[in-house]
Amino acid sequence: MSYEEIDEPIAVITFFEQGKLHPLRFRWKGQVYRIKKVNGFWSVQDGLSRKYHFSVSANAPDCFELTFDTADFNWQLARVYLEG
Amino acid sequence: MHVQHLSSSLRHIIHIDADAFFASVEQGFVPLLRKNPVIVGGTENQRGVVHTASYDARKKGVRTGMPLKQAKKLVPDATFLKGNFEHYKAVSTVLQNIYYQYTPLVELTSLDDAYLDLTGTLSLHEKSLVEISREIQKQVAAAVNMTVSCGIGTTKLLARLASGQNKPNGITYVRSGTELEFLHPLPVEELPGIGRMAKEKLHQIGVFTIGDLRSVPRMVLMQHFGMNGKKFWELANSIDGREVKQRILPKQISRETGFEEDVSDLDLVFEVLHYLTERLGKKLREQGLTGQTVSVKVDYSDHKRYVKARSLAEATDCTDVIFRLVSQLVDETPFRRLRVRRVGLTVSKIDRKDWQGELFTEQSRREALESTIDEIRQRFGFTAVLPASLVNLQKHYRMEKSGYVLHAPALTQ
């Protein structure tokens, strides 16, 4: 397994429920990825704002790490984990 | 003995221990990692030791504390990870929320293990202890993709020892009346408080198992180990009245780090200790705690360790007070003509800060200053305000908003 740091803005369809956010789909480089499973989430305080990280499996063999920044309400694709 | 058995039979305690926690968390977050053994502690070319290894790596001989380079030789196809404390904290919170569904009496002893006292709540669930344990295992697997092992017993000791018997994903139930039978064959070092020195001493007098320990008269153990001898004897006889407490104060708070390469620059050693003091002081104040005894640890390149400790007249949470004592202890450290591998400091005699400080003293001014610094750090990150002497650390470590990225960040918060 290897990974690549991407750090690119992405568009994400998100579902908010009971104070939690669930990313459902994201678009990166024109392709839409449907999130099959959120494998884990964690958050990091970054000064005044908090960044929420989601490790997800999508309709691809690879895993992705998405981040949601509460400072500007933007999503980013932080990393792509690749097989091999 | 008779009284103990009567009381212990009334208690239902489950000890839950997450299996290969750090490695399992990483594998749960990135399922691709399941294809290879995972070793958490550092990257493969980094110096340092294994903190946790997945079970497939353990099968090949990798153990906690083993140098990473040795682990690499044993398992060349393993994925080596530095670890991420935020991952472990997040998963630990999920686990805690599951435990609290079964009882409010949960004692969280670390990020990855906890005691649940179901004595008062068992009848509410209309399930057996084994069924509850199985249900917890299922919930944990569904929520965080990992396994936990459960030990069920009538005391904390039995529950804890039981959870280690059938790993991973096991359930071991020590039924009331079978306690001594269960304890008898276990190695004596499985008992809490028996470290390397005590184990060697016990081996010298022919004590290898807990059963052997039971047969030694209490007085003889007290002659060898003082009051600890009495405790060992009681534990070997399954006498353990310790209660499951909802929140316990930590016995100590430590911060330590190793150097990428052994260093001879004592100024750097001192600066790192200063930085660790800043982190430790922040932690104390965040948790509303104070500490009274400070110890400094220096590990040399020949693997020998020097530790010096001293108590303050009064407990404190003030970084400046702790650092003055750390400076004294460092001044008194007879630095040998050897390089330093690792440094650390520990604050013990921890208590809650539930007293009113004095007004209009130097101390109160310091406290006001530190409270303001804490607030700035909360808003803008830990490195927004640093003592000037610590800015030099940028030459050696990457600075992020949340702090310097020290060696083995999984261990250095």
Side-chain angles (χ1 to χ4, degrees), chain B residues 41-48 67-70 72 78-82 260-261 407:
Chain B
T43 53
E44 57 194 80
N45 300 318
Q46 204 178 5
R47 77 179 291 180
L68 291 167
K69 282 177 186 162
Q70 195 183 338
K72 174 73 181 166
T79 305
F80 286 76
L81 302 168
K82 280 187 170 184
E260 192 63 42
E261 284 179 6
H407 195 55

Side-chain angles (χ1 to χ4, degrees), chain A residues 39-80:
Chain A
N39 300 310
F41 61 91
W42 67 99
S43 65
V44 179
Q45 190 71 33
D46 190 20
L48 253 190
S49 70
R50 184 162 275 274
K51 265 190 184 162
Y52 290 87
H53 296 245
F54 296 83
S55 181
V56 304
S57 296
N59 53 346
D62 308 328
C63 295
F64 304 86
E65 184 182 318
L66 317 180
T67 59
F68 177 71
D69 192 339
T70 56
D72 52 14
F73 274 46
N74 274 326
W75 284 92
Q76 276 211 329
L77 175 62
R79 278 181 178 187
V80 179

Side-chain angles (χ1 to χ4, degrees), chain A residues 39 42 46-48 55 83, chain B residues 28-29 35 87 378-379 401:
Chain A
N39 300 310
W42 67 99
D46 190 20
L48 253 190
S55 181
E83 210 166 349
Chain B
F29 279 13
K35 297 186 175 174
H87 292 185
Q378 175 68 25
R379 280 180 172 221
K401 259 187 185 178

Side-chain angles (χ1 to χ4, degrees), chain B residues 223-272:
Chain B
Q223 279 166 0
H224 280 280
F225 301 101
M227 284 311 284
N228 278 339
K230 179 172 174 271
K231 196 178 91 185
F232 296 160
W233 185 87
E234 285 176 350
L235 292 176
N237 282 282
S238 188
I239 300 171
D240 177 18
R242 292 175 300 158
E243 287 177 13
V244 175
K245 291 177 189 162
Q246 270 172 290
R247 186 178 181 273
I248 50 166
L249 292 175
K251 283 186 181 166
Q252 57 183 43
I253 297 177
S254 306
R255 291 292 177 268
E256 63 177 81
T257 188
F259 296 99
E260 192 63 42
E261 284 179 6
D262 295 347
V263 295
S264 53
D265 178 357
L266 292 183
D267 288 340
L268 174 61
V269 172
F270 191 66
E271 281 164 19
V272 169

Side-chain angles (χ1 to χ4, degrees), chain B residues 92-160:
Chain B
S92 184
T93 307
V94 174
L95 298 183
Q96 287 167 33
N97 291 336
I98 293 172
Y99 304 156
Y100 280 119
Q101 291 172 23
Y102 295 90
T103 172
L105 268 182
V106 177
E107 180 176 326
L108 304 157
T109 40
S110 68
L111 284 173
D112 63 342
D113 72 333
Y115 292 96
L116 279 63
D117 189 338
L118 285 111
T119 310
T121 51
L122 185 61
S123 57
L124 299 173
H125 298 295
E126 296 179 345
K127 286 177 191 135
S128 70
L129 288 162
V130 173
E131 284 170 333
I132 289 175
S133 302
R134 206 166 286 138
E135 207 172 275
I136 290 172
Q137 286 181 326
K138 278 183 190 164
Q139 283 206 54
V140 169
V144 288
N145 251 336
M146 59 184 284
T147 63
V148 293
S149 293
C150 302
I152 308 166
T154 50
T155 63
K156 281 171 82 171
L157 172 75
L158 291 163
R160 190 178 74 77

Side-chain angles (χ1 to χ4, degrees), chain A residues 2-74:
Chain A
S2 60
Y3 67 84
E4 264 180 52
E5 304 274 3
I6 306 293
D7 291 330
E8 286 178 16
I10 49 170
V12 181
I13 297 177
T14 313
F15 172 52
F16 286 79
E17 185 189 41
Q18 293 178 342
K20 288 181 183 165
L21 69 165
H22 308 266
L24 302 175
R25 283 163 199 247
F26 65 95
R27 193 177 64 231
W28 177 48
K29 289 187 174 171
Q31 191 180 337
V32 174
Y33 295 82
R34 188 171 67 83
I35 293 169
K36 282 184 181 166
K37 193 174 180 203
V38 175
N39 300 310
F41 61 91
W42 67 99
S43 65
V44 179
Q45 190 71 33
D46 190 20
L48 253 190
S49 70
R50 184 162 275 274
K51 265 190 184 162
Y52 290 87
H53 296 245
F54 296 83
S55 181
V56 304
S57 296
N59 53 346
D62 308 328
C63 295
F64 304 86
E65 184 182 318
L66 317 180
T67 59
F68 177 71
D69 192 339
T70 56
D72 52 14
F73 274 46
N74 274 326

Side-chain angles (χ1 to χ4, degrees), chain B residues 278-328:
Chain B
E278 287 281 330
R279 303 294 307 198
L280 203 144
K282 175 177 166 275
K283 178 79 179 175
L284 281 171
R285 292 188 296 277
E286 259 175 17
Q287 308 263 313
L289 301 173
T290 60
Q292 195 164 0
T293 303
V294 178
S295 78
V296 171
K297 178 179 89 175
V298 180
D299 285 358
Y300 293 97
S301 52
D302 62 354
H303 294 270
K304 288 201 171 140
R305 173 173 292 178
Y306 178 83
V307 183
K308 186 142 180 113
R310 186 166 302 151
S311 290
L312 292 155
E314 287 174 358
T316 186
D317 64 351
C318 181
T319 303
D320 194 53
V321 174
I322 297 170
F323 183 60
R324 263 183 269 150
L325 184 54
V326 168
S327 306
Q328 274 180 33

